[in-house]
PDB file of all heavy atoms in Angstrom:
ATOM      1  N   ALA A 128       3.399  22.297 -31.566  1.00  0.00           N
ATOM      2  CA  ALA A 128       4.749  22.060 -32.069  1.00  0.00           C
ATOM      3  C   ALA A 128       5.715  21.638 -30.968  1.00  0.00           C
ATOM      4  O   ALA A 128       6.912  21.453 -31.228  1.00  0.00           O
ATOM      5  CB  ALA A 128       5.278  23.315 -32.762  1.00  0.00           C
ATOM      6  N   GLY A 129       5.217  21.517 -29.729  1.00  0.00           N
ATOM      7  CA  GLY A 129       6.071  21.139 -28.618  1.00  0.00           C
ATOM      8  C   GLY A 129       6.834  22.283 -28.003  1.00  0.00           C
ATOM      9  O   GLY A 129       7.734  22.065 -27.174  1.00  0.00           O
ATOM     10  N   GLU A 130       6.469  23.531 -28.370  1.00  0.00           N
ATOM     11  CA  GLU A 130       7.130  24.714 -27.817  1.00  0.00           C
ATOM     12  C   GLU A 130       6.386  25.186 -26.576  1.00  0.00           C
ATOM     13  O   GLU A 130       5.159  25.108 -26.494  1.00  0.00           O
ATOM     14  CB  GLU A 130       7.162  25.842 -28.851  1.00  0.00           C
ATOM     15  CG  GLU A 130       7.902  25.493 -30.130  1.00  0.00           C
ATOM     16  CD  GLU A 130       9.385  25.287 -29.894  1.00  0.00           C
ATOM     17  OE1 GLU A 130       9.932  25.911 -28.951  1.00  0.00           O
ATOM     18  OE2 GLU A 130       9.995  24.511 -30.655  1.00  0.00           O
ATOM     19  N   ARG A 131       7.145  25.705 -25.606  1.00  0.00           N
ATOM     20  CA  ARG A 131       6.540  26.199 -24.372  1.00  0.00           C
ATOM     21  C   ARG A 131       5.847  27.541 -24.607  1.00  0.00           C
ATOM     22  O   ARG A 131       6.353  28.368 -25.372  1.00  0.00           O
ATOM     23  CB  ARG A 131       7.599  26.348 -23.279  1.00  0.00           C
ATOM     24  CG  ARG A 131       8.138  25.034 -22.760  1.00  0.00           C
ATOM     25  CD  ARG A 131       9.259  25.253 -21.756  1.00  0.00           C
ATOM     26  NE  ARG A 131       9.684  24.017 -21.135  1.00  0.00           N
ATOM     27  CZ  ARG A 131      10.573  23.176 -21.661  1.00  0.00           C
ATOM     28  NH1 ARG A 131      11.123  23.466 -22.831  1.00  0.00           N
ATOM     29  NH2 ARG A 131      10.909  22.061 -21.026  1.00  0.00           N
ATOM     30  N   ARG A 132       4.723  27.736 -23.933  1.00  0.00           N
ATOM     31  CA  ARG A 132       4.018  29.009 -24.008  1.00  0.00           C
ATOM     32  C   ARG A 132       3.349  29.291 -22.674  1.00  0.00           C
ATOM     33  O   ARG A 132       3.050  28.373 -21.905  1.00  0.00           O
ATOM     34  CB  ARG A 132       2.987  28.997 -25.132  1.00  0.00           C
ATOM     35  CG  ARG A 132       1.852  27.991 -24.923  1.00  0.00           C
ATOM     36  CD  ARG A 132       0.890  28.004 -26.070  1.00  0.00           C
ATOM     37  NE  ARG A 132      -0.236  27.110 -25.866  1.00  0.00           N
ATOM     38  CZ  ARG A 132      -1.173  26.870 -26.768  1.00  0.00           C
ATOM     39  NH1 ARG A 132      -1.132  27.473 -27.942  1.00  0.00           N
ATOM     40  NH2 ARG A 132      -2.161  26.038 -26.506  1.00  0.00           N
ATOM     41  N   ASP A 133       3.114  30.548 -22.420  1.00  0.00           N
ATOM     42  CA  ASP A 133       2.503  30.985 -21.167  1.00  0.00           C
ATOM     43  C   ASP A 133       1.070  31.406 -21.462  1.00  0.00           C
ATOM     44  O   ASP A 133       0.836  32.459 -22.044  1.00  0.00           O
ATOM     45  CB  ASP A 133       3.314  32.151 -20.582  1.00  0.00           C
ATOM     46  CG  ASP A 133       2.760  32.625 -19.241  1.00  0.00           C
ATOM     47  OD1 ASP A 133       1.752  32.051 -18.776  1.00  0.00           O
ATOM     48  OD2 ASP A 133       3.329  33.568 -18.673  1.00  0.00           O
ATOM     49  N   ASP A 134       0.098  30.558 -21.068  1.00  0.00           N
ATOM     50  CA  ASP A 134      -1.299  30.913 -21.330  1.00  0.00           C
ATOM     51  C   ASP A 134      -2.207  30.570 -20.155  1.00  0.00           C
ATOM     52  O   ASP A 134      -3.397  30.361 -20.316  1.00  0.00           O
ATOM     53  CB  ASP A 134      -1.802  30.227 -22.604  1.00  0.00           C
ATOM     54  CG  ASP A 134      -1.861  28.708 -22.467  1.00  0.00           C
ATOM     55  OD1 ASP A 134      -1.305  28.174 -21.475  1.00  0.00           O
ATOM     56  OD2 ASP A 134      -2.476  28.057 -23.331  1.00  0.00           O
ATOM     57  N   GLY A 135      -1.630  30.504 -18.941  1.00  0.00           N
ATOM     58  CA  GLY A 135      -2.464  30.218 -17.781  1.00  0.00           C
ATOM     59  C   GLY A 135      -1.681  29.539 -16.672  1.00  0.00           C
ATOM     60  O   GLY A 135      -0.459  29.670 -16.602  1.00  0.00           O
ATOM     61  N   TYR A 136      -2.383  28.796 -15.830  1.00  0.00           N
ATOM     62  CA  TYR A 136      -1.721  28.088 -14.737  1.00  0.00           C
ATOM     63  C   TYR A 136      -2.530  26.844 -14.376  1.00  0.00           C
ATOM     64  O   TYR A 136      -3.694  26.687 -14.751  1.00  0.00           O
ATOM     65  CB  TYR A 136      -1.551  28.994 -13.513  1.00  0.00           C
ATOM     66  CG  TYR A 136      -2.850  29.450 -12.878  1.00  0.00           C
ATOM     67  CD1 TYR A 136      -3.519  28.642 -11.949  1.00  0.00           C
ATOM     68  CD2 TYR A 136      -3.418  30.676 -13.194  1.00  0.00           C
ATOM     69  CE1 TYR A 136      -4.709  29.050 -11.364  1.00  0.00           C
ATOM     70  CE2 TYR A 136      -4.607  31.087 -12.622  1.00  0.00           C
ATOM     71  CZ  TYR A 136      -5.241  30.266 -11.699  1.00  0.00           C
ATOM     72  OH  TYR A 136      -6.423  30.679 -11.135  1.00  0.00           O
ATOM     73  N   PHE A 137      -1.885  25.961 -13.599  1.00  0.00           N
ATOM     74  CA  PHE A 137      -2.491  24.712 -13.149  1.00  0.00           C
ATOM     75  C   PHE A 137      -1.990  24.425 -11.741  1.00  0.00           C
ATOM     76  O   PHE A 137      -0.781  24.417 -11.507  1.00  0.00           O
ATOM     77  CB  PHE A 137      -2.101  23.578 -14.101  1.00  0.00           C
ATOM     78  CG  PHE A 137      -2.537  22.204 -13.661  1.00  0.00           C
ATOM     79  CD1 PHE A 137      -3.809  21.732 -13.950  1.00  0.00           C
ATOM     80  CD2 PHE A 137      -1.666  21.376 -12.972  1.00  0.00           C
ATOM     81  CE1 PHE A 137      -4.201  20.458 -13.558  1.00  0.00           C
ATOM     82  CE2 PHE A 137      -2.044  20.107 -12.582  1.00  0.00           C
ATOM     83  CZ  PHE A 137      -3.321  19.649 -12.873  1.00  0.00           C
ATOM     84  N   TYR A 138      -2.913  24.224 -10.795  1.00  0.00           N
ATOM     85  CA  TYR A 138      -2.561  23.852  -9.419  1.00  0.00           C
ATOM     86  C   TYR A 138      -3.300  22.563  -9.081  1.00  0.00           C
ATOM     87  O   TYR A 138      -4.502  22.446  -9.338  1.00  0.00           O
ATOM     88  CB  TYR A 138      -2.990  24.916  -8.409  1.00  0.00           C
ATOM     89  CG  TYR A 138      -2.374  26.277  -8.571  1.00  0.00           C
ATOM     90  CD1 TYR A 138      -2.957  27.380  -7.986  1.00  0.00           C
ATOM     91  CD2 TYR A 138      -1.199  26.464  -9.304  1.00  0.00           C
ATOM     92  CE1 TYR A 138      -2.408  28.653  -8.125  1.00  0.00           C
ATOM     93  CE2 TYR A 138      -0.647  27.723  -9.449  1.00  0.00           C
ATOM     94  CZ  TYR A 138      -1.251  28.814  -8.861  1.00  0.00           C
ATOM     95  OH  TYR A 138      -0.707  30.062  -9.008  1.00  0.00           O
ATOM     96  N   LYS A 139      -2.583  21.608  -8.509  1.00  0.00           N
ATOM     97  CA  LYS A 139      -3.224  20.367  -8.070  1.00  0.00           C
ATOM     98  C   LYS A 139      -2.593  19.885  -6.775  1.00  0.00           C
ATOM     99  O   LYS A 139      -1.377  19.696  -6.708  1.00  0.00           O
ATOM    100  CB  LYS A 139      -3.107  19.277  -9.140  1.00  0.00           C
ATOM    101  CG  LYS A 139      -3.725  17.939  -8.711  1.00  0.00           C
ATOM    102  CD  LYS A 139      -3.721  16.920  -9.857  1.00  0.00           C
ATOM    103  CE  LYS A 139      -2.350  16.414 -10.165  1.00  0.00           C
ATOM    104  NZ  LYS A 139      -2.358  15.338 -11.204  1.00  0.00           N
TER     105      LYS A 139
END
Side-chain angles (χ1 to χ4, degrees):
E130 300 294 331
R131 290 176 173 85
R132 64 181 183 185
D133 182 0
D134 66 348
Y136 64 84
F137 173 85
Y138 299 161
K139 178 174 71 175

